[in-house]
Amino acid sequence: MTTVATVATPIVNGLASTSKPRPALANASDVVMLDNCDSFTWNLYQYLCLLGANVTVIRSEAITLEELQAQHPNLTHLVISPGPGHPSTDSGISIPAIKAYAGKVPVLGVCMGLQCMATAYGGVVDSAGEIVHGKTSAVQHDGKGLFKGVTQGIQATRYHSLAAKINSLPEELEVTSRTESGIVMGLRHKTFALEAVQYHPESILSEEGQVMLDNFLRLTSGTWTGNPGFESTGLSGAKANGAGALPIPSAAALPTILQRIEQQRAVDIARSKATPGFRQSDLTSLISLHVPPPLISFHKRLQPSAPLPQGQQHIALLAEVKRASPSKGDLVDSSAPSSPSIALSYALAGASVISVLTEPKWFKGSLEDMRAVRAAVDALPNRPAILRKDFISDTYQIDEARIYGADTILLIVAMLTDEKLAELYEYSVARGMEPLVEVNNAEELARALAVGAKVIGVNNRNLHDFEVDMGTTSRIADVIKEKYGEEGGNVILIALSGITGRADVERYAAQGVGAVLVGESLMKAKDKGAFVRELLGIAAPEAPKDASKPKTLVKICGLKTPEAALAATEAGADFLGLVFAEKSKRKVSFEEAKAIISAVRSRPTSTSPVTPLPVDIESADWFALQSGRLASHPRKPLIVGVFQNPTLASLIETIDTLGLDVVQLHGSEPAGWARLLSVPVIRAFHVDAEATGDLEDSVKEATRPGLHSVPLLDTKVSSAKGALSGGAGKKFDWSVAAKLVESRAEGLPRLPIVLAGGLDAENVVSGIEQVKPWAVDVSGGVETDGTKDLEKIRSFIRLVKGA
């Protein structure tokens, strides 16, 4: 696209001054603007025309440098426009044009134009550490070049997430302006009349943009020496407050990223301490009332759970949940899985620790994130430890961490005095949490060891400038070996930041590093579980072969006589159900139950070896472990007491008196009772006989871990108060059960359920094929005229075992 203007046109939308267009400038008769596909190009064009320039706009990707030079042999000024993307890939010929015209004509870059300028001379453009869109920042400048006559502290409108990295700038370039937080807002070539700003002077919200653009158009030479007056250090006047103008602060005078975060967290802590319900006294009370969930040892969780083969090096993974970072900006968008889902996928794949960023401004985390992550993994038999990763400077934050579910905290040596480090370390240990103490050099290592740290993390990223050096951990590992001997050998060393693959993990493992923390690479991985396994060198789980598919278990329920119970036992039943529901026609008395249990348990015991637990406890989830324990129990069949809305006292009395193996709760008993009972609980969930496909919320509760051992699905018989909730021999739509079995989160195995309701010899095989239940439960389907039919029992069990 090429647009030529020889006469200034009125500015629309209030984007420019209401002053009349200036007469044409002879020295700006051929201004070329390379458009990087940005709407602000039009605003720049209008401003420059208003100021008297003759402007040609050309798409940066639609022309070659040679064509530009041929078409504009008398080019007077070059402008590089704003644009989306990265300058190295999305700016067309902008960078070659800067190199070609530098020193020959004045060159101006705006936003991406600045990034192109930095890139042209070997600088690095990366995340600004903060994402701004249509926001203003006060800018300090040096008063030269574009900024001649511009007041200090002008408001500048910013639309960018990238910026030139200050420590990567070559000698030819100098910083002309910054925000108060230190982000580079302007660059200038020291010799050539080549200058750029990161913000948008053409925006209506930017102050004195026309002054700056007018300064640019008045440049007549490609060098500063050829533009007398613009190279001077004459600083601009003050703002309305009358204070003298300030020179732009140096990089050393500006706060580092770490210092800015520290300052903000101090404000956050003070605000929290003053909030009713969150004062220090409130936190202390919560801890004394045992409101926080139980701890596990962070130190032990990093170590192997069993002796390793000789020569094999154990290395643990700390998998991180974070939304953003100062160095990379946003890591996830609204389409990403939730923090608890991500944490669960990490845990199921083998992570030993879940690190949760709770800093809200730069990392966009929260304590609620950590609470939810802890809840998501809490029922795992070998759950990972939870690390609160934040900028801890107050014991108040340690109590916060404890209350919101952390097992450990991060202490950053670089931001703490020796006294404060010792105070926080000792306080954390007293709360039962061994901290992760972070260091970045040998001096900080010595300080960490001085307080007795057992777990030391080496941050490969320098928190002052956020640059990464992967050799940092290696150097610290060498220092520990060479200088600290036995004391250092007892420390678990963790590599933090920059790990991107298995090769990094193997290199650190060979150096004696005990664990690695991975955040950004994991958050960006599409299959997080697979990447965790890759980092740990774990093979992907294989799908079970049909030959090894576990057999469906059988529960014969509603037994009332020893004869029927023994027939079921001899036929291979896994569970025998005795009903204690008051209104059931199959209710047994204590005496009847004792007789049945005695007959079953007094028969000759099998001498077959104990069945090994069919799951790996290290990686099993709650339901896999609980169902595996029941399936491999050495005493079979197990006696199941079936209850509907008993009192808790009578339930416990029945369990203890009869020595029941399992309890089945078939009514509306509180789910939390499962924690109070001494035996596993099968919990019934009732499906409406008319339900089709969709899962009701009440049925979805079947997948909640940490309470019942196995859910049972039965047909809802009646909603009337006091009515029986099962045992009527009615079938429900099995597609509901099939959907529930497959409804669990990614990475979790199928839900083991007990299928009940209307089963008999004619339909049980098709039910097993459709639903693939862990067990089936039958009562009326093996009866004749209301009495257990021994042949039907045997036939039913035979069909199930052969399915």
Side-chain angles (χ1 to χ4, degrees), residues 471-549:
T472 306
T473 297
S474 303
R475 290 190 292 273
I476 294 298
D478 290 340
V479 171
I480 289 176
K481 292 174 185 175
E482 296 169 4
K483 188 174 180 179
Y484 292 99
E486 184 177 348
E487 178 188 7
N490 293 327
V491 169
I492 297 177
L493 195 64
I494 303 177
L496 314 176
S497 298
I499 292 95
T500 59
R502 178 63 184 170
D504 295 327
V505 177
E506 290 177 343
R507 181 173 66 254
Y508 285 136
Q511 296 166 358
V513 174
V516 295
L517 185 147
V518 183
E520 179 187 336
S521 298
L522 266 172
M523 289 299 293
K524 291 183 175 181
K526 290 184 178 179
D527 188 334
K528 293 174 172 43
F531 191 42
V532 167
R533 290 188 291 270
E534 176 189 329
L535 290 167
L536 293 172
I538 300 173
E542 295 183 3
K545 299 178 181 178
D546 289 342
S548 61
K549 183 178 68 174

Side-chain angles (χ1 to χ4, degrees), residues 159-222:
Y159 289 83
H160 68 105
S161 60
L162 302 177
K165 304 296 284 186
I166 185 64
N167 56 359
S168 75
L169 295 181
E171 283 296 317
E172 297 97 323
L173 304 181
E174 62 184 358
V175 175
T176 64
S177 55
R178 299 178 191 267
T179 65
E180 292 175 342
S181 62
I183 301 297
V184 173
M185 284 289 105
L187 292 177
R188 179 188 301 122
H189 196 285
K190 294 178 181 178
T191 304
F192 303 143
L194 173 58
E195 189 156 4
V197 288
Q198 179 61 70
Y199 68 93
H200 290 262
E202 74 281 8
S203 168
I204 191 173
L205 297 178
S206 293
E207 296 178 331
E208 304 188 29
Q210 285 195 70
V211 176
M212 298 173 64
L213 294 175
D214 185 51
N215 283 337
F216 171 66
L217 292 178
R218 291 187 181 280
L219 299 176
T220 58
S221 170

Side-chain angles (χ1 to χ4, degrees), residues 462-473:
N462 186 315
L463 288 179
H464 293 288
D465 59 17
F466 269 63
E467 294 300 312
V468 174
D469 177 0
M470 296 295 286
T472 306
T473 297

Side-chain angles (χ1 to χ4, degrees), residues 189-494:
H189 196 285
K190 294 178 181 178
T191 304
F192 303 143
L194 173 58
E195 189 156 4
V197 288
Q198 179 61 70
Y199 68 93
H200 290 262
E202 74 281 8
S203 168
I204 191 173
L205 297 178
S206 293
E207 296 178 331
E208 304 188 29
Q210 285 195 70
V211 176
M212 298 173 64
L213 294 175
D214 185 51
N215 283 337
F216 171 66
L217 292 178
R218 291 187 181 280
L219 299 176
T220 58
S221 170
T223 65
W224 291 116
T225 56
N227 293 291
F230 286 94
E231 80 284 9
S232 70
T233 58
L235 294 178
S236 64
K239 284 270 219 201
N241 61 14
L246 298 174
I248 179 173
S250 67
L254 289 163
T256 66
I257 296 175
L258 177 60
Q259 290 168 336
R260 286 156 52 201
I261 294 174
E262 285 182 67
Q263 293 165 2
Q264 181 61 49
R265 290 312 269 152
V267 173
D268 297 339
I269 295 167
R271 184 183 300 117
S272 294
K273 285 182 173 181
T275 303
F278 295 89
R279 298 186 177 103
Q280 179 61 66
S281 59
D282 298 314
L283 303 193
T284 302
S285 175
L286 291 173
I287 292 172
S288 67
L289 291 170
H290 302 291
V291 171
L295 293 164
I296 63 172
S297 170
F298 167 57
H299 186 262
K300 289 183 179 178
R301 194 63 181 81
L302 293 171
Q303 302 174 54
S305 57
L308 296 174
Q310 188 172 2
Q312 184 174 333
Q313 175 71 36
H314 170 77
I315 193 159
L317 174 67
L318 292 79
E320 192 155 87
V321 176
K322 64 178 176 181
R323 295 189 177 89
S325 78
S327 61
K328 298 298 181 182
D330 285 354
L331 299 176
V332 297
D333 57 26
S334 59
S335 66
S338 66
S339 295
S341 296
I342 291 171
L344 184 58
S345 67
Y346 290 165
L348 293 171
S352 298
V353 179
I354 307 296
S355 169
V356 185
L357 265 298
T358 58
E359 191 283 323
K361 181 176 176 63
W362 282 272
F363 294 91
K364 299 186 179 181
S366 70
L367 286 166
E368 287 300 330
D369 280 340
M370 188 168 69
R371 189 204 296 273
V373 164
R374 170 63 189 266
V377 303
D378 216 20
L380 296 178
N382 188 37
R383 77 163 177 87
I386 305 299
L387 163 67
R388 180 187 186 184
K389 196 173 183 192
D390 207 323
F391 299 81
I392 306 292
S393 60
D394 195 297
T395 55
Y396 176 86
Q397 293 169 284
I398 297 175
D399 284 348
E400 278 184 325
R402 180 72 186 87
I403 289 165
Y404 281 82
D407 299 291
T408 183
I409 60 163
L410 177 70
L411 296 178
I412 303 173
V413 173
M415 61 176 280
L416 303 169
T417 64
D418 288 343
E419 294 75 19
K420 179 59 72 172
L421 176 62
E423 176 194 355
L424 296 175
Y425 180 85
E426 291 167 6
Y427 192 89
S428 182
V429 171
R431 286 295 193 207
M433 300 187 291
E434 178 66 36
L436 168 59
V437 182
E438 178 185 308
V439 304
N440 183 250
N441 52 52
E443 178 186 356
E444 292 177 0
L445 171 65
R447 295 175 58 202
L449 291 172
V451 300
K454 295 179 181 178
V455 184
I456 294 179
V458 183
N459 201 339
N460 293 317
R461 176 174 281 114
N462 186 315
L463 288 179
H464 293 288
D465 59 17
F466 269 63
E467 294 300 312
V468 174
D469 177 0
M470 296 295 286
T472 306
T473 297
S474 303
R475 290 190 292 273
I476 294 298
D478 290 340
V479 171
I480 289 176
K481 292 174 185 175
E482 296 169 4
K483 188 174 180 179
Y484 292 99
E486 184 177 348
E487 178 188 7
N490 293 327
V491 169
I492 297 177
L493 195 64
I494 303 177

